[in-house]
Amino acid sequence: MKDYSLDYRRFVIGGVALVIVIIYIIRLFTLQITSDDYKKSADSNAFLKKIEYPSRGGIYDRNGKLLVYNQPAYDIMVVMNEAKDRLDTLDLCEALNITREDFDKRMETIKDRSKNPGYSRFTQQLFISQLSEADFSVFQEKMFRFPGFYIQRRSIRQYRYPYAAHVLGDVAEVSPADIEEDDYYQPGDYIGKLGVERSYEKQLRGEKGMQILLRDAHGRVQGRYQNGRFDRRAVAGKNLTLGLDADLQALGERLMEGKIGSIVAIEPKTGEVLCMVSSPSYDPRMMVGRQRSKSHHLLSMNVWKPLLNRSIMGQYPPGSTFKTTQGLTFMTEGIIHPTHTAYPCSHGFNYKGLHVGCHGHAAPLPLIPALSTSCNGYFCWGLYYMIGAKGKYGSVQNAMNTWRDYMVSMGFGYKLGIDLPGEKRGLIPNAEFYDKAYKGSWNGLTIISIAIGQGEVNATPLQIANLGATIANRGWFITPHVVKRIQDEQLDSLYTQRRYTKASRTSYDYVVQGMRASATGGTCHELAKYDFMACGKTGTAQNRGHDHSVFMGFAPMDKPKIAVAVYVENGGWGATYGVPIGGLIMEQYINGHLSEASKHKAEELQHKHISYGSTSR
């Protein structure tokens, strides 16, 4: 009789053997085909892939002055697979002037994949960055004692002047988020964090190179693999030329010492930013090298917020500088005639118990003297009649949205699109905004304060300066931008194309006359002393504390070279700080220097500080 149990055992044993063979085949396939662990190990024994870091592009001002350049630095790199079991740790710590605890912490950080997602024990990892020249010299002499440790030559940024920190920005070590976002980076690399360094990171950083070095069985470098046939040379980053005038920037920062606020100047025909001052500021050289982290922490804890770029992030009521936009809108829409329409002003706008105050001046008056004297009554009446023109617009909502469309076309309510990170949009209300706020029951009287740049209207100093450039151009502007030229590359078309507003050319001609009248005998009369035909408009923006001093203007009148906005928090009347600072900025740029009288005025303003108390801003 046949023993079926033997057949069954044979099948079981055969099946087990087959499973074992399959497992081995799968494992061999994994090791040889899908996994590169052994390849990496073999390559790491035979080759040393040394990254060559490119020189970061330089940054120049519009006149060719070097603003930002590179200086050499040295990083200590480690290949963990080579350093294990063969390292005299105490000797290494002594050579690098660090403690054993610091050594252990650094090694753990390297191996922590949550902090170092690109970790591999076969490739170079950053151990210490930006070693000083003295420490580098000591380590270099002893490096042969420390297998697995290498020197990586790099460069760090240096800033020539203590100005323009908010525009230039800074460079720091990449974060895990940076590495995850762009596989160009690996731990220990540097990236632009703020300002132009951030916006133009891809142009400035260049392209990494690589040397493949051949090693013997003891890990000693024998030379280049196949005489460098597979090496890749680093490509230097592209140089940037900014629209900034370094001398103008320096003057602006001097004038804003001891004050909180901003100065923005623009070349009207190109949209290039000539200076951008945010006060208080800081010396960009504080943010260089291994001290950056400590400096950044100190600045971030400062109650006056020096890291905040108020030029593009500060959102303020534009005050009476905004009256120019109202004149342009009312005239284009046919609400006013520039010479035939005159509105009363009895120390302000008075209607149905509502009073909006104004200083004393002749009345009634038409558009040009209304701008010259900065009459609140005139522009309040204009808005009241526009919002109430149901025969023209059908409803207050349609009238309001028409008004809104004019403001947006002039560069308000949305980000302009400047080539700097962090720009804010300000606020231009629309009908939906007021329907929600007042449950649909509102009219021109309800919102009358927006006619004089108060109420819900907010703008950045950049937007106010752009308004000046738009008026100077009689109805168009090019999106403001900091970078004038990129080496071997075209600017984005956003920074070369004209953007036209909804207002008519005729309305701009009248507003220009009003701003010139303001400079010759109105609220900006201090501008009359200059040998160029300046146009200006003051603003005194109401605030819960002291009012803000505001100025917007351009010069010369007919062939404008510069438009400028000045915003001084708690500075009082626009003529107190805004006008004199704006005039000095115009003179410096147009003439290339200040007169002796202006130098004295600049020194006086530099040392004229405003007391802000201890309130956190």
Side-chain angles (χ1 to χ4, degrees):
M1 184 175 179
K2 187 175 181 179
D3 189 352
Y4 289 101
S5 63
L6 293 175
D7 289 341
Y8 177 75
R9 290 177 191 169
R10 186 168 65 250
F11 289 136
V12 170
I13 294 170
V16 171
L18 180 63
V19 169
I20 292 172
V21 170
I22 291 173
I23 290 173
Y24 270 102
I25 291 173
I26 292 173
R27 180 58 180 158
L28 287 170
F29 178 82
T30 301
L31 291 174
Q32 296 184 39
I33 305 299
T34 64
S35 174
D36 61 354
D37 283 353
Y38 284 91
K39 182 179 183 299
K40 284 181 179 179
S41 180
D43 284 352
S44 68
N45 289 331
F47 304 117
L48 173 63
K49 294 180 179 180
K50 186 177 181 181
I51 293 175
E52 287 189 348
Y53 287 92
S55 175
R56 196 169 175 88
I59 302 178
Y60 299 80
D61 90 333
R62 68 185 298 108
N63 299 311
K65 289 185 178 180
L66 182 62
L67 303 177
V68 187
Y69 57 96
N70 303 307
Q71 64 180 20
Y74 305 92
D75 291 350
I76 304 301
M77 312 296 290
V78 59
V79 178
M80 302 295 277
N81 198 54
E82 299 174 19
K84 63 181 183 179
D85 303 327
R86 294 183 290 163
L87 182 66
D88 186 336
T89 305
L90 295 179
D91 193 15
L92 175 70
C93 291
E94 183 179 342
L96 290 174
N97 195 26
I98 61 174
T99 64
R100 175 59 189 262
E101 291 74 16
D102 194 18
F103 171 86
D104 291 338
K105 183 178 179 181
R106 290 172 187 271
M107 293 300 247
E108 288 302 316
T109 300
I110 289 172
K111 291 184 285 187
D112 186 345
R113 293 184 183 274
S114 65
K115 298 178 181 178
N116 185 11
Y119 170 70
S120 168
R121 69 181 186 274
F122 302 115
T123 61
Q124 292 189 7
Q125 306 291 316
L126 178 67
F127 184 71
I128 292 181
S129 65
Q130 300 179 17
L131 209 63
S132 69
E133 192 76 36
D135 289 342
F136 162 72
S137 298
V138 172
F139 179 78
Q140 189 178 35
E141 292 178 0
K142 300 180 177 181
M143 192 173 69
F144 70 92
R145 302 182 189 175
F146 312 123
F149 283 81
Y150 301 90
I151 291 173
Q152 176 70 64
R153 182 184 173 88
R154 300 246 193 154
S155 61
I156 59 173
R157 293 304 244 179
Q158 189 54 263
Y159 301 87
R160 186 174 179 186
Y161 303 105
Y163 309 120
H166 296 97
V167 175
L168 298 174
D170 67 296
V171 173
E173 193 173 328
V174 292
S175 66
D178 293 325
I179 297 170
E180 185 175 342
E181 184 177 327
D182 190 339
D183 59 9
Y184 172 89
Y185 302 103
Q186 62 183 38
D189 284 355
Y190 303 122
I191 190 173
K193 290 292 185 180
L194 297 169
V196 168
E197 296 276 21
R198 183 69 178 186
S199 298
Y200 290 86
E201 165 66 15
K202 289 187 177 179
Q203 289 86 352
L204 287 167
R205 73 188 185 188
E207 298 177 18
K208 295 175 186 174
M210 181 178 290
Q211 287 184 10
I212 303 177
L213 304 177
L214 192 63
R215 301 194 291 193
D216 62 18
H218 301 286
R220 294 173 296 200
V221 174
Q222 299 300 303
R224 292 190 174 186
Y225 176 61
Q226 292 195 11
N227 294 319
R229 178 183 173 189
F230 297 101
D231 289 356
R232 186 174 66 250
R233 294 180 63 87
V235 178
K238 296 178 180 180
N239 295 332
L240 301 181
T241 299
L242 307 187
L244 286 190
D245 182 307
D247 294 335
L248 192 67
Q249 182 74 25
L251 173 63
E253 297 204 17
R254 278 180 51 212
L255 295 174
M256 289 299 291
E257 285 184 16
K259 308 167 189 69
I260 294 175
S262 171
I263 303 171
V264 179
I266 297 172
E267 183 178 60
K269 68 179 179 180
T270 64
E272 293 165 9
V273 174
L274 301 172
C275 82
M276 179 177 283
V277 177
S278 178
S279 183
S281 186
Y282 58 94
D283 188 336
R285 294 172 294 190
M286 294 173 59
M287 307 292 274
V288 171
R290 297 169 71 180
Q291 66 175 343
R292 181 191 182 275
S293 180
K294 181 179 179 181
S295 297
H296 188 275
H297 176 72
L298 291 173
L299 291 169
S300 65
M301 297 298 291
N302 189 314
V303 296
W304 305 112
K305 300 180 181 178
L307 289 174
L308 178 70
N309 186 353
R310 289 172 168 83
S311 299
I312 62 173
M313 298 177 179
Q315 300 176 92
Y316 303 102
S320 294
T321 62
F322 203 61
K323 291 172 183 173
T324 56
T325 67
Q326 305 309 288
L328 293 165
T329 302
F330 302 155
M331 185 176 169
T332 305
E333 283 295 295
I335 304 300
I336 63 171
H337 186 281
T339 58
H340 296 81
T341 303
Y343 291 129
C345 181
S346 179
H347 289 281
F349 173 82
N350 299 280
Y351 189 66
K352 293 186 177 181
L354 177 64
H355 174 71
V356 178
C358 189
H359 55 278
H361 56 75
L365 72 179
L367 177 61
I368 291 175
L371 286 168
S372 172
T373 59
S374 196
C375 173
N376 285 343
Y378 184 93
F379 297 98
C380 286
W381 281 112
L383 183 75
Y384 173 73
Y385 284 121
M386 179 175 177
I387 298 300
K390 291 186 178 180
K392 182 177 179 66
Y393 301 109
S395 67
V396 295
Q397 284 81 7
N398 288 340
M400 184 69 215
N401 285 340
T402 300
W403 178 90
R404 182 272 320 274
D405 290 343
Y406 274 86
M407 301 306 108
V408 170
S409 78
M410 295 177 198
F412 294 96
Y414 293 90
K415 296 177 182 180
L416 280 167
I418 191 170
D419 50 347
L420 289 175
E423 182 189 4
K424 301 299 183 184
R425 61 181 289 177
L427 175 62
I428 293 295
N430 57 15
E432 183 181 0
F433 179 94
Y434 286 125
D435 281 342
K436 184 176 181 180
Y438 296 105
K439 296 183 172 57
S441 179
W442 56 278
N443 56 36
L445 292 178
T446 315
I447 62 171
I448 202 69
S449 58
I450 66 174
I452 57 174
Q454 298 287 165
E456 292 74 31
V457 172
N458 273 329
T460 65
L462 175 68
Q463 290 172 330
I464 299 172
N466 187 64
L467 172 63
T470 306
I471 298 172
N473 291 330
R474 277 59 166 183
W476 59 269
F477 66 92
I478 293 176
T479 301
H481 50 286
V482 170
V483 172
K484 176 185 179 74
R485 185 167 54 253
I486 307 171
Q487 180 185 356
D488 301 326
E489 188 176 321
Q490 295 294 318
L491 283 180
D492 190 305
S493 60
L494 177 66
Y495 305 127
T496 59
Q497 296 178 352
R498 292 184 178 186
R499 295 165 62 177
Y500 289 87
T501 76
K502 289 173 62 66
S504 67
R505 169 60 192 254
T506 302
S507 68
Y508 277 101
D509 290 337
Y510 276 99
V511 167
V512 169
Q513 292 180 49
M515 293 176 68
R516 178 59 187 159
S518 179
T520 55
T523 56
C524 297
H525 60 85
E526 187 174 333
L527 299 179
K529 67 184 181 183
Y530 293 109
D531 59 0
F532 47 84
M533 295 180 67
C535 300
K537 182 71 196 75
T538 54
T540 305
Q542 294 178 3
N543 181 48
R544 281 171 291 187
H546 293 291
D547 293 341
H548 303 317
S549 178
V550 195
F551 169 78
M552 178 271 293
F554 63 90
M557 176 179 172
D558 293 325
K559 293 183 178 180
K561 296 180 180 179
I562 182 172
V564 61
V566 180
Y567 211 106
V568 180
E569 293 188 27
N570 305 143
W573 297 104
T576 304
Y577 286 102
V579 174
I581 290 176
L584 291 171
I585 293 292
M586 291 178 181
E587 181 185 10
Q588 170 68 39
Y589 186 70
I590 292 173
N591 294 341
H593 59 85
L594 296 178
S595 68
E596 288 303 316
S598 293
K599 287 179 182 178
H600 292 303
K601 183 64 176 178
E603 188 173 349
E604 175 189 327
L605 284 167
Q606 178 181 355
H607 296 102
K608 194 174 181 180
H609 295 185
I610 298 174
S611 176
Y612 291 98
S614 58
T615 304
S616 176
R617 303 191 70 80

